[in-house]
Amino acid sequence: MTSGIHHVTLITKDVQPNVDFYVGFLGLRLVKRTGGYEDATQLHLFYGDYAANPGSLLTFLVWQGGSKGQVGAGQVSEVALAIEPGSIGFWIERVLRLGVKSEGTAQEFGETVLKLRDPDGVLIKLVSADLPALDMPQNDIPAEHAIRRIRGVTLLSEVQEETTAFLTRYFGFRAAATEGSIQRLVSDVGDVLDIRDAAGFFPGAPGAGAVDHVAVRAHDAAEVEAVEAELRKRNSSLTNLHDRNYFTSLYVREPGNVLIEMASDGPGFLQDETLESLGSALFVPPDTADPDGVKLMLPQFGLPGEERVVYRDLIYTHRFHVPPEPDGTTIALLHGSGGSEMDLMPLAHRASPHATLLGIRGRSTEDGVQRWFRSFGPTIFDQDDIRFESGALEAFFGEIEIAYGVSRGGLVALGYSNGANLLGAALLLRSGLVQRAVLLRPIMTLGDVPASDLSDTKVLIVLGQFDAFRTQGEALAQALAAAGADVEVVTVLGGHDLTDADTEAVRRWLRDSEAAGRNAQE
């Protein structure tokens, strides 16, 4: 049996600092970027040595803007990376020079350890260990000081003896030394699983800054399947076998509840990229519906030295998608009830491929559903909250002008359903909010309509022919027109859900309104 660590998978809430730390500071190579197999709209990044060898791989599920996890029993608590025994001094100087958070040095199992915290708070240990070195990418770290491979991980188990017996029986590790409350297991390669007695610990919780699982190695798919057959004989061990394209995977929870994956060494990461181009393309699982649209919903980032958006802490959580050749237009997107800042990006991109997209997340939640303002019933709305959030939206548009250089003249606001409801109300409450707005399936939410001057505002309203709220959308169109807005109403075949007809209506209107604006300037 092949034994050793294949990869470790963790969770991050912010992709750019994550890339900067693992590529820029630690010097690993980004070897693959994909949409997740469980959720294609979740970015999954893989870092490793130059050739993406098992034993070097740290992977991250990107929960962009997600909540923080809690390390506890039933989780991996620490990740250790091996360095040359004489390299601790180099890394201490690098930590101090680059301002990386450090918890100092220690001795563990006779090895010198430098403890660091990554941007999400994960404890990363650089360990002076004489392990075979893998070929790391060339960068500003001298080859003799580069990360060599994964040294090991620490598992927190409330049933230490049972966890130890399970991992040694099924995954080829063998018991080695003990130190304090830690039992060390070692593989044929020399990497380790440290099993810490966590009796009495609070249970861990998934989230940013937590480890999702550790994967151990199998030679091939046949070995994974053989172990899965053995585990199925244990009534208490629920297993899941998956084809992850780059390797065959088996998932099982060991007796202490830590999620363990067994991953085959092959076929590997060179199936869809060359060795030289590893990590440069974005892939999604082959059965993904609308793969191009899904790619637009994944957060963008820049490798060290590349251009990137430097995000500011503004009123609303937000995300940009910048196309390769932006035309100067920015479309601000306000999602519907239960949506997110990414939902409307595919539609907006298809309607205007060269526009920069700015997805915005509503701040109100009802029964766990993300919205833009409070309501007391299906069509009974909190008027004070609508006015407050309209003011917040206006302030946000002012913030992005200062923070990102998004001018009001180049800004188009597009909302769907609940997002369109807020946008329609804000147009009436805040004259001059934007010059162009698209409202998809909106309704009139204001009880009292103030006097407004929207003579410089163009609005497209797209209604569904069979939408139960269609007449209320028509009422909003009449109110906007009465305030002086140039309103075009398009009715498409369908109900409240969006269709390709909406995309075409938005595309045509954006093109025509942009042309009309240019002609007016001439």
Side-chain angles (χ1 to χ4, degrees):
M1 170 181 283
T2 300
S3 71
I5 294 175
H6 187 282
H7 67 266
V8 184
T9 293
L10 307 92
I11 302 169
T12 179
K13 68 175 181 179
D14 196 346
V15 64
Q16 189 61 67
N18 184 267
V19 171
D20 290 341
F21 181 84
Y22 287 93
V23 177
F25 173 70
L26 289 180
L28 302 179
R29 185 185 186 189
L30 177 64
V31 294
K32 193 66 64 177
R33 54 181 93 184
T34 75
Y37 272 82
E38 304 301 327
D39 178 4
T41 63
Q42 179 182 80
L43 184 63
H44 193 177
L45 299 183
F46 295 73
Y47 306 107
D49 70 338
Y50 185 78
N53 284 301
S56 72
L57 301 169
L58 299 179
T59 92
F60 281 85
L61 305 173
V62 180
W63 292 12
Q64 193 70 19
S67 60
K68 187 171 178 59
Q70 177 62 51
V71 176
Q75 284 187 334
V76 171
S77 62
E78 303 172 358
V79 178
L81 305 175
I83 58 174
E84 175 70 29
S87 294
I88 285 289
F90 168 85
W91 283 98
I92 291 175
E93 185 277 334
R94 186 172 175 85
V95 164
L96 294 173
R97 176 165 48 85
L98 298 179
V100 171
K101 186 175 181 180
S102 169
E103 297 184 2
T105 59
Q107 290 289 314
E108 298 180 359
F109 290 91
E111 298 169 331
T112 303
V113 175
L114 175 61
K115 297 182 178 182
L116 312 173
R117 293 284 179 177
D118 84 349
D120 291 289
V122 177
L123 183 57
I124 301 293
K125 301 191 297 189
L126 302 184
V127 182
S128 293
D130 190 16
L131 291 181
L134 297 172
D135 185 19
M136 290 295 169
Q138 294 183 356
N139 45 48
D140 66 332
I141 301 173
E144 64 270 22
H145 297 308
I147 304 295
R148 299 168 74 87
R149 63 188 311 122
I150 295 173
R151 174 63 176 124
V153 297
T154 301
L155 285 68
L156 301 181
S157 173
E158 294 186 286
V159 287
Q160 185 184 42
E161 291 185 2
E162 293 179 45
T163 295
T164 298
F166 184 88
L167 296 173
T168 53
R169 177 178 179 182
Y170 293 105
F171 299 120
F173 285 77
R174 60 184 183 277
T178 60
E179 187 174 278
S181 63
I182 297 175
Q183 168 68 61
R184 171 158 285 187
L185 309 182
V186 64
S187 74
D188 295 337
V189 176
D191 50 25
V192 298
L193 302 177
D194 286 337
I195 315 303
R196 181 177 177 182
D197 184 0
F201 282 34
F202 285 110
V211 176
D212 186 73
H213 65 268
V214 57
V216 297
R217 293 176 65 179
H219 177 67
D220 54 23
E223 186 174 330
V224 175
E225 292 164 0
V227 172
E228 195 269 343
E230 285 297 311
L231 287 169
R232 268 192 284 113
K233 297 175 183 178
R234 292 172 53 106
N235 292 333
S236 59
S237 298
L238 181 64
T239 61
N240 289 285
L241 196 63
H242 298 279
D243 179 0
R244 296 305 196 198
N245 191 35
Y246 307 111
F247 41 81
T248 299
S249 291
L250 163 68
Y251 293 89
V252 63
R253 289 196 179 273
E254 52 79 31
N257 207 38
V258 177
L259 182 60
I260 305 294
E261 177 184 358
M262 190 178 204
S264 61
D265 282 355
F269 289 96
L270 298 180
Q271 292 193 101
D272 45 23
E273 291 181 290
T274 65
L275 179 61
E276 294 74 22
S277 66
L278 275 176
S280 60
L282 175 60
F283 298 93
V284 294
D287 58 348
T288 301
D290 189 16
D292 292 335
V294 167
K295 289 179 181 180
L296 289 165
M297 299 170 71
L298 299 175
Q300 292 180 311
F301 60 89
L303 292 172
E306 293 181 348
E307 188 174 349
R308 78 275 299 276
V309 175
V310 179
Y311 280 93
R312 307 301 183 188
D313 188 12
L314 306 183
I315 293 172
Y316 291 105
T317 298
H318 56 285
R319 183 188 301 180
F320 279 98
H321 176 84
V322 182
E325 299 178 358
D327 63 6
T329 300
T330 298
I331 304 179
L333 305 170
L334 285 71
H335 61 79
S337 295
S340 74
E341 61 269 30
M342 304 96 68
D343 286 0
L344 294 172
M345 286 188 173
L347 180 150
H349 180 75
R350 286 191 287 266
S352 185
H354 297 291
T356 296
L357 308 180
L358 173 57
I360 314 169
R361 185 189 303 175
R363 300 190 298 182
S364 179
T365 56
E366 293 181 1
D367 299 324
V369 174
Q370 206 78 38
R371 294 172 52 86
W372 288 93
F373 52 84
R374 292 189 295 268
S375 65
F376 304 125
T379 57
I380 306 172
F381 308 109
D382 187 329
Q383 297 296 306
D384 290 338
D385 200 34
I386 290 173
R387 282 167 167 76
F388 184 85
E389 289 301 320
S390 294
L393 186 63
E394 180 182 45
F396 177 79
F397 288 159
E399 285 184 324
I400 63 174
E401 188 168 8
I402 297 170
Y404 305 118
V406 177
S407 69
R408 293 294 179 101
L411 179 65
V412 179
L414 184 154
Y416 165 60
S417 191
N418 188 245
N421 296 345
L422 177 66
L423 183 55
L427 289 171
L428 291 167
L429 292 168
R430 301 281 173 168
S431 297
L433 180 74
V434 289
Q435 295 178 6
R436 291 192 291 167
V438 177
L439 309 178
L440 306 175
R441 310 299 190 276
I443 65 173
M444 184 63 176
T445 59
L446 291 177
D448 297 316
V449 180
S452 307
D453 180 8
L454 300 181
S455 55
D456 291 331
T457 305
K458 297 180 183 296
V459 181
L460 170 66
I461 292 180
V462 185
L463 305 174
Q465 183 176 352
F466 306 113
D467 189 352
F469 300 106
R470 175 182 167 184
T471 57
Q472 297 178 58
E474 292 169 344
L476 175 61
Q478 292 170 3
L480 291 168
D486 179 357
V487 180
E488 178 180 346
V489 178
V490 174
T491 302
V492 298
L493 188 65
H496 199 70
D497 292 339
L498 299 176
T499 69
D500 290 342
D502 293 276
T503 304
E504 183 55 38
V506 175
R507 177 191 296 116
R508 191 264 314 155
W509 183 84
L510 288 173
R511 181 195 62 213
D512 293 349
S513 63
E514 179 68 26
R518 287 196 302 268
N519 292 336
Q521 291 176 357
E522 294 174 358

PDB file of all heavy atoms in Angstrom, residues 62-81:
ATOM      1  N   VAL A  62     -13.010  28.309  -1.474  1.00  0.00           N
ATOM      2  CA  VAL A  62     -13.156  29.751  -1.264  1.00  0.00           C
ATOM      3  C   VAL A  62     -14.604  30.055  -0.905  1.00  0.00           C
ATOM      4  O   VAL A  62     -15.488  30.011  -1.756  1.00  0.00           O
ATOM      5  CB  VAL A  62     -12.709  30.539  -2.510  1.00  0.00           C
ATOM      6  CG1 VAL A  62     -12.874  32.042  -2.265  1.00  0.00           C
ATOM      7  CG2 VAL A  62     -11.261  30.212  -2.862  1.00  0.00           C
ATOM      8  N   TRP A  63     -14.840  30.346   0.378  1.00  0.00           N
ATOM      9  CA  TRP A  63     -16.143  30.814   0.834  1.00  0.00           C
ATOM     10  C   TRP A  63     -16.058  32.337   0.893  1.00  0.00           C
ATOM     11  O   TRP A  63     -15.929  32.911   1.973  1.00  0.00           O
ATOM     12  CB  TRP A  63     -16.475  30.243   2.211  1.00  0.00           C
ATOM     13  CG  TRP A  63     -16.707  28.769   2.258  1.00  0.00           C
ATOM     14  CD1 TRP A  63     -16.449  27.856   1.283  1.00  0.00           C
ATOM     15  CD2 TRP A  63     -17.239  28.019   3.367  1.00  0.00           C
ATOM     16  NE1 TRP A  63     -16.781  26.595   1.697  1.00  0.00           N
ATOM     17  CE2 TRP A  63     -17.271  26.660   2.973  1.00  0.00           C
ATOM     18  CE3 TRP A  63     -17.686  28.373   4.632  1.00  0.00           C
ATOM     19  CZ2 TRP A  63     -17.735  25.651   3.816  1.00  0.00           C
ATOM     20  CZ3 TRP A  63     -18.141  27.367   5.483  1.00  0.00           C
ATOM     21  CH2 TRP A  63     -18.174  26.022   5.076  1.00  0.00           C
ATOM     22  N   GLN A  64     -16.079  32.981  -0.270  1.00  0.00           N
ATOM     23  CA  GLN A  64     -15.824  34.412  -0.331  1.00  0.00           C
ATOM     24  C   GLN A  64     -16.813  35.194   0.531  1.00  0.00           C
ATOM     25  O   GLN A  64     -18.027  35.131   0.326  1.00  0.00           O
ATOM     26  CB  GLN A  64     -15.895  34.901  -1.779  1.00  0.00           C
ATOM     27  CG  GLN A  64     -15.345  36.291  -2.010  1.00  0.00           C
ATOM     28  CD  GLN A  64     -13.828  36.339  -1.850  1.00  0.00           C
ATOM     29  OE1 GLN A  64     -13.149  35.322  -1.909  1.00  0.00           O
ATOM     30  NE2 GLN A  64     -13.290  37.531  -1.647  1.00  0.00           N
ATOM     31  N   GLY A  65     -16.274  35.926   1.517  1.00  0.00           N
ATOM     32  CA  GLY A  65     -17.131  36.678   2.416  1.00  0.00           C
ATOM     33  C   GLY A  65     -17.857  35.814   3.431  1.00  0.00           C
ATOM     34  O   GLY A  65     -18.759  36.299   4.124  1.00  0.00           O
ATOM     35  N   GLY A  66     -17.476  34.545   3.553  1.00  0.00           N
ATOM     36  CA  GLY A  66     -18.162  33.630   4.451  1.00  0.00           C
ATOM     37  C   GLY A  66     -17.786  33.831   5.907  1.00  0.00           C
ATOM     38  O   GLY A  66     -16.903  34.625   6.253  1.00  0.00           O
ATOM     39  N   SER A  67     -18.461  33.092   6.763  1.00  0.00           N
ATOM     40  CA  SER A  67     -18.236  33.224   8.204  1.00  0.00           C
ATOM     41  C   SER A  67     -17.041  32.390   8.649  1.00  0.00           C
ATOM     42  O   SER A  67     -16.625  31.444   7.976  1.00  0.00           O
ATOM     43  CB  SER A  67     -19.486  32.797   8.970  1.00  0.00           C
ATOM     44  OG  SER A  67     -19.808  31.442   8.669  1.00  0.00           O
ATOM     45  N   LYS A  68     -16.505  32.750   9.795  1.00  0.00           N
ATOM     46  CA  LYS A  68     -15.324  32.088  10.325  1.00  0.00           C
ATOM     47  C   LYS A  68     -15.715  30.784  10.997  1.00  0.00           C
ATOM     48  O   LYS A  68     -16.738  30.690  11.663  1.00  0.00           O
ATOM     49  CB  LYS A  68     -14.614  33.007  11.319  1.00  0.00           C
ATOM     50  CG  LYS A  68     -13.267  32.481  11.806  1.00  0.00           C
ATOM     51  CD  LYS A  68     -12.517  33.524  12.599  1.00  0.00           C
ATOM     52  CE  LYS A  68     -11.192  32.988  13.127  1.00  0.00           C
ATOM     53  NZ  LYS A  68     -10.323  32.526  12.034  1.00  0.00           N
ATOM     54  N   GLY A  69     -14.875  29.765  10.842  1.00  0.00           N
ATOM     55  CA  GLY A  69     -15.090  28.504  11.522  1.00  0.00           C
ATOM     56  C   GLY A  69     -14.478  28.509  12.910  1.00  0.00           C
ATOM     57  O   GLY A  69     -13.916  29.517  13.362  1.00  0.00           O
ATOM     58  N   GLN A  70     -14.567  27.363  13.579  1.00  0.00           N
ATOM     59  CA  GLN A  70     -14.014  27.216  14.922  1.00  0.00           C
ATOM     60  C   GLN A  70     -13.258  25.893  14.993  1.00  0.00           C
ATOM     61  O   GLN A  70     -13.825  24.833  14.744  1.00  0.00           O
ATOM     62  CB  GLN A  70     -15.123  27.231  15.977  1.00  0.00           C
ATOM     63  CG  GLN A  70     -14.635  27.004  17.395  1.00  0.00           C
ATOM     64  CD  GLN A  70     -13.686  28.093  17.864  1.00  0.00           C
ATOM     65  OE1 GLN A  70     -14.004  29.277  17.744  1.00  0.00           O
ATOM     66  NE2 GLN A  70     -12.522  27.711  18.377  1.00  0.00           N
ATOM     67  N   VAL A  71     -11.971  25.984  15.299  1.00  0.00           N
ATOM     68  CA  VAL A  71     -11.170  24.771  15.416  1.00  0.00           C
ATOM     69  C   VAL A  71     -11.528  24.066  16.716  1.00  0.00           C
ATOM     70  O   VAL A  71     -11.634  24.690  17.780  1.00  0.00           O
ATOM     71  CB  VAL A  71      -9.664  25.116  15.394  1.00  0.00           C
ATOM     72  CG1 VAL A  71      -8.829  23.853  15.607  1.00  0.00           C
ATOM     73  CG2 VAL A  71      -9.299  25.780  14.077  1.00  0.00           C
ATOM     74  N   GLY A  72     -11.743  22.746  16.631  1.00  0.00           N
ATOM     75  CA  GLY A  72     -12.095  21.984  17.823  1.00  0.00           C
ATOM     76  C   GLY A  72     -12.021  20.503  17.556  1.00  0.00           C
ATOM     77  O   GLY A  72     -11.486  20.054  16.526  1.00  0.00           O
ATOM     78  N   ALA A  73     -12.541  19.728  18.460  1.00  0.00           N
ATOM     79  CA  ALA A  73     -12.505  18.271  18.332  1.00  0.00           C
ATOM     80  C   ALA A  73     -13.187  17.837  17.041  1.00  0.00           C
ATOM     81  O   ALA A  73     -14.197  18.392  16.629  1.00  0.00           O
ATOM     82  CB  ALA A  73     -13.190  17.634  19.541  1.00  0.00           C
ATOM     83  N   GLY A  74     -12.590  16.812  16.406  1.00  0.00           N
ATOM     84  CA  GLY A  74     -13.125  16.335  15.144  1.00  0.00           C
ATOM     85  C   GLY A  74     -12.611  17.105  13.942  1.00  0.00           C
ATOM     86  O   GLY A  74     -13.191  17.024  12.862  1.00  0.00           O
ATOM     87  N   GLN A  75     -11.507  17.831  14.128  1.00  0.00           N
ATOM     88  CA  GLN A  75     -10.931  18.607  13.031  1.00  0.00           C
ATOM     89  C   GLN A  75      -9.408  18.478  13.015  1.00  0.00           C
ATOM     90  O   GLN A  75      -8.789  18.066  14.005  1.00  0.00           O
ATOM     91  CB  GLN A  75     -11.280  20.092  13.163  1.00  0.00           C
ATOM     92  CG  GLN A  75     -12.690  20.453  12.789  1.00  0.00           C
ATOM     93  CD  GLN A  75     -12.889  21.951  12.785  1.00  0.00           C
ATOM     94  OE1 GLN A  75     -12.196  22.692  13.475  1.00  0.00           O
ATOM     95  NE2 GLN A  75     -13.848  22.420  12.007  1.00  0.00           N
ATOM     96  N   VAL A  76      -8.845  18.872  11.882  1.00  0.00           N
ATOM     97  CA  VAL A  76      -7.404  19.099  11.788  1.00  0.00           C
ATOM     98  C   VAL A  76      -7.136  20.501  12.316  1.00  0.00           C
ATOM     99  O   VAL A  76      -7.788  21.467  11.900  1.00  0.00           O
ATOM    100  CB  VAL A  76      -6.914  18.968  10.332  1.00  0.00           C
ATOM    101  CG1 VAL A  76      -5.462  19.409  10.208  1.00  0.00           C
ATOM    102  CG2 VAL A  76      -7.075  17.529   9.850  1.00  0.00           C
ATOM    103  N   SER A  77      -6.179  20.633  13.232  1.00  0.00           N
ATOM    104  CA  SER A  77      -5.941  21.928  13.877  1.00  0.00           C
ATOM    105  C   SER A  77      -4.693  22.639  13.378  1.00  0.00           C
ATOM    106  O   SER A  77      -4.585  23.860  13.507  1.00  0.00           O
ATOM    107  CB  SER A  77      -5.824  21.750  15.398  1.00  0.00           C
ATOM    108  OG  SER A  77      -4.716  20.922  15.723  1.00  0.00           O
ATOM    109  N   GLU A  78      -3.730  21.898  12.815  1.00  0.00           N
ATOM    110  CA  GLU A  78      -2.463  22.499  12.394  1.00  0.00           C
ATOM    111  C   GLU A  78      -1.988  21.831  11.113  1.00  0.00           C
ATOM    112  O   GLU A  78      -2.210  20.639  10.904  1.00  0.00           O
ATOM    113  CB  GLU A  78      -1.391  22.333  13.481  1.00  0.00           C
ATOM    114  CG  GLU A  78      -1.764  22.912  14.835  1.00  0.00           C
ATOM    115  CD  GLU A  78      -0.753  22.562  15.921  1.00  0.00           C
ATOM    116  OE1 GLU A  78       0.221  21.827  15.627  1.00  0.00           O
ATOM    117  OE2 GLU A  78      -0.936  23.005  17.070  1.00  0.00           O
ATOM    118  N   VAL A  79      -1.321  22.610  10.275  1.00  0.00           N
ATOM    119  CA  VAL A  79      -0.722  22.089   9.043  1.00  0.00           C
ATOM    120  C   VAL A  79       0.760  22.416   9.082  1.00  0.00           C
ATOM    121  O   VAL A  79       1.142  23.573   9.295  1.00  0.00           O
ATOM    122  CB  VAL A  79      -1.368  22.715   7.792  1.00  0.00           C
ATOM    123  CG1 VAL A  79      -0.691  22.190   6.528  1.00  0.00           C
ATOM    124  CG2 VAL A  79      -2.867  22.439   7.761  1.00  0.00           C
ATOM    125  N   ALA A  80       1.597  21.403   8.890  1.00  0.00           N
ATOM    126  CA  ALA A  80       3.046  21.580   8.961  1.00  0.00           C
ATOM    127  C   ALA A  80       3.673  21.367   7.586  1.00  0.00           C
ATOM    128  O   ALA A  80       3.314  20.424   6.864  1.00  0.00           O
ATOM    129  CB  ALA A  80       3.652  20.608   9.965  1.00  0.00           C
ATOM    130  N   LEU A  81       4.590  22.254   7.212  1.00  0.00           N
ATOM    131  CA  LEU A  81       5.330  22.171   5.954  1.00  0.00           C
ATOM    132  C   LEU A  81       6.806  21.993   6.270  1.00  0.00           C
ATOM    133  O   LEU A  81       7.348  22.652   7.166  1.00  0.00           O
ATOM    134  CB  LEU A  81       5.113  23.433   5.123  1.00  0.00           C
ATOM    135  CG  LEU A  81       3.658  23.796   4.826  1.00  0.00           C
ATOM    136  CD1 LEU A  81       3.584  25.133   4.099  1.00  0.00           C
ATOM    137  CD2 LEU A  81       2.974  22.715   4.009  1.00  0.00           C
TER     138      LEU A  81
END
